[in-house]
Amino acid sequence: MPSLASILALAAPLMVYGAPLRRDANPTDILVLKFADVLEQFESTFYQQALSKFQSSDFTAAGFVDAQVPVQQFTQIQADEASHATVLESTIQSLGDSAITGCNFDFGKALDDVPTMAATARVVENLGVGAYLGAAHLISDPVLLTAAGSILTVEARHQTILNVLSNGVSIPQAFDIALLPNEVLAIASAFISGCDTGITPNQPLTITNTGSVGPGTSLTFSSPAINGSTDGFHCQMLVGGMPATISLPLDQCVVPDGIEGPVAIFVTSDDQPLNNNVRDRANQPVVAGPTMAFIDTQKQLLGQLVLAASSNSGSDSSTSTTTISPADATSIISSASAASATAAPTDGSVSAGNGAASPSATDSAASASPTDSAASASASAAPESDKTVVEAPGTRNVATGMSANGAITVNGWQDDQPELPASN
């Protein structure tokens, strides 16, 4: 008996694209679909090989609090990518053409260990998002465009998961980076051989710096296209939402402040910024790239729940990291928030003019965990009144009398107050 998954896979072309299927597709539309299919094969194979190679112990050794957290996510992502490939290949066939076959995918050192694999997966998913976003203007058929958009949104969900699993900000930017097919292949072609996508890739570009990249890092590069004088060459940093790249002389390519998340970096032969709009982006001055860098300056609680090492990032370097469960991680974070609230200074933090509290550690803890802050406050001071009576949350207090500690008299709302005389 066929499984639900197999039935959905067979029905997907009709569900996504509608019937009847047409056979007069624009050749550019077909080329985009074929290219997207190769990328989906690329992504699916990457996760398949990673899941086959690494054991649960490899994930816990890499710092994950529970191996099943990344394994479940990678498994789901792999299934999504395989489904995308199946649907794309069926659609290409229905439009009277054939999908590209014979591609070999060799991920080499990208699968050396779990941290390297997770970092590569983050690049892979950003490429997927950038590829669909950058190819949108090339698709003329609105039905195909809508269907491609439905894949793009799922790729973006994958991207968020991979950001969290890499201890980065889950949603670092309000806008994503669009990449043209030749730009995508500047990165992906290093892993793909044995097939012709019909697209000439840009020359590859590699960041040669060791360690993490952050604000103030002076970047250095290597590329087969950079083999002589670099006079006049510039690095171009493309960030989501910016109208154009940040253009800097190649020998002064320093990451500026204010960038968070993925950055696509090009090397060009002049100083003219590249347009963020892929339709109008110049390709002639591009010497090599892009390559992807991730600027991670902020840490979020999600990362602390997933990675044991991140919850100890502020501790002494000699302290060993042990594997803990998600429940333990939650408890540790809650305790830390409560401790911060208790330790915060209490004098001089309130303005006498308007009663507004100035920024303090207490405010931060309250913002992060209102429940913990309330619990801390309860532990440090007795309640002002145990006679508070309200008709509903947020409504008037109808209690009267002394407070529990005898410090104040509570005068609540009285229904028997004399009515004011009616005005004439």
Side-chain angles (χ1 to χ4, degrees):
M1 183 175 182
S3 66
L4 176 60
S6 63
I7 293 173
L8 290 175
L10 291 172
L14 294 178
M15 293 166 59
V16 175
Y17 298 111
L21 295 173
R22 293 172 293 175
R23 306 180 67 87
D24 56 349
N26 184 303
T28 302
D29 292 354
I30 295 275
L31 180 62
V32 170
L33 294 179
K34 288 183 175 183
F35 175 66
D37 177 46
V38 171
L39 289 183
E40 296 292 353
Q41 294 178 47
F42 163 75
E43 292 175 318
S44 176
T45 304
F46 173 80
Y47 292 111
Q48 189 176 47
Q49 291 183 11
L51 290 167
S52 297
K53 177 174 181 177
F54 298 115
Q55 308 300 314
S56 294
S57 58
D58 296 318
F59 288 97
T60 53
F64 288 100
V65 298
D66 186 332
Q68 286 307 302
V69 173
V71 168
Q72 286 177 356
Q73 298 307 312
F74 290 138
T75 300
Q76 181 61 59
I77 293 173
Q78 192 279 328
D80 290 345
E81 311 298 13
S83 295
H84 294 166
T86 299
V87 170
L88 287 166
E89 289 161 12
S90 297
T91 303
I92 293 167
Q93 185 176 6
S94 73
L95 295 173
D97 213 312
S98 300
I100 297 171
T101 59
C103 296
N104 299 313
F105 305 101
D106 182 3
F107 298 102
K109 293 184 178 181
L111 295 178
D112 273 358
D113 51 49
V114 168
T116 305
M117 180 274 291
T120 304
R122 196 180 185 190
V123 175
V124 166
E125 291 306 324
N126 272 272
L127 279 182
V129 172
Y132 278 99
L133 191 58
H137 75 291
L138 300 173
I139 301 176
S140 62
D141 187 327
V143 176
L144 296 179
L145 178 59
T146 302
S150 72
I151 296 178
L152 166 60
T153 56
V154 175
E155 297 290 346
R157 295 187 184 101
H158 296 168
Q159 180 188 56
T160 296
I161 289 294
L162 268 298
N163 287 340
V164 172
L165 296 182
S166 298
N167 200 23
V169 174
S170 57
I171 308 170
Q173 299 165 0
F175 302 92
D176 276 312
I177 300 170
L179 297 173
L180 291 164
N182 53 298
E183 297 169 349
V184 173
L185 286 177
I187 300 171
S189 60
F191 305 104
I192 304 172
S193 63
C195 59
D196 182 9
T197 62
I199 297 166
T200 301
N202 285 6
Q203 288 291 322
L205 183 67
T206 303
I207 296 174
T208 56
N209 298 68
T210 58
S212 61
V213 174
T217 301
S218 180
L219 300 176
T220 55
F221 307 93
S222 68
S223 171
I226 304 175
N227 53 15
S229 173
T230 58
D231 290 346
F233 282 17
H234 280 65
C235 75
Q236 308 280 351
M237 300 185 192
L238 181 61
V239 180
M242 296 185 66
T245 57
I246 301 168
S247 179
L248 299 167
L250 188 60
D251 58 357
Q252 301 173 36
C253 189
V254 178
V255 179
D257 292 330
I259 295 178
E260 189 73 32
V263 182
I265 305 174
F266 301 76
V267 170
T268 61
S269 58
D270 60 32
D271 63 351
Q272 293 303 304
L274 300 176
N275 203 315
N276 200 344
N277 177 0
V278 289
R279 189 197 64 181
D280 301 327
R281 186 181 301 162
N283 192 56
Q284 293 84 356
V286 174
V287 175
T291 186
M292 296 298 298
F294 292 89
I295 313 302
D296 296 321
T297 66
Q298 303 176 33
K299 300 301 176 187
Q300 295 185 319
L301 293 181
L302 276 175
Q304 296 182 33
L305 292 173
V306 172
L307 291 161
S310 67
S311 61
N312 291 329
S313 59
S315 62
D316 190 287
S317 59
S318 63
T319 304
S320 62
T321 298
T322 57
T323 302
I324 58 176
S325 69
D328 290 337
T330 303
S331 176
I332 291 171
I333 295 167
S334 298
S335 299
S337 298
S340 298
T342 304
T346 57
D347 57 324
S349 62
V350 178
S351 167
N354 56 16
S358 62
S360 66
T362 306
D363 298 326
S364 300
S367 299
S369 180
T371 304
D372 296 333
S373 299
S376 176
S378 298
S380 60
E384 288 300 323
S385 174
D386 58 357
K387 297 182 179 180
T388 300
V389 180
V390 296
E391 297 171 339
T395 60
R396 62 190 183 184
N397 174 18
V398 296
T400 60
M402 295 297 295
S403 64
N405 59 8
I408 60 173
T409 300
V410 178
N411 292 319
W413 184 276
Q414 298 297 302
D415 289 329
D416 57 352
Q417 294 295 324
E419 294 184 2
L420 294 174
S423 59
N424 295 327

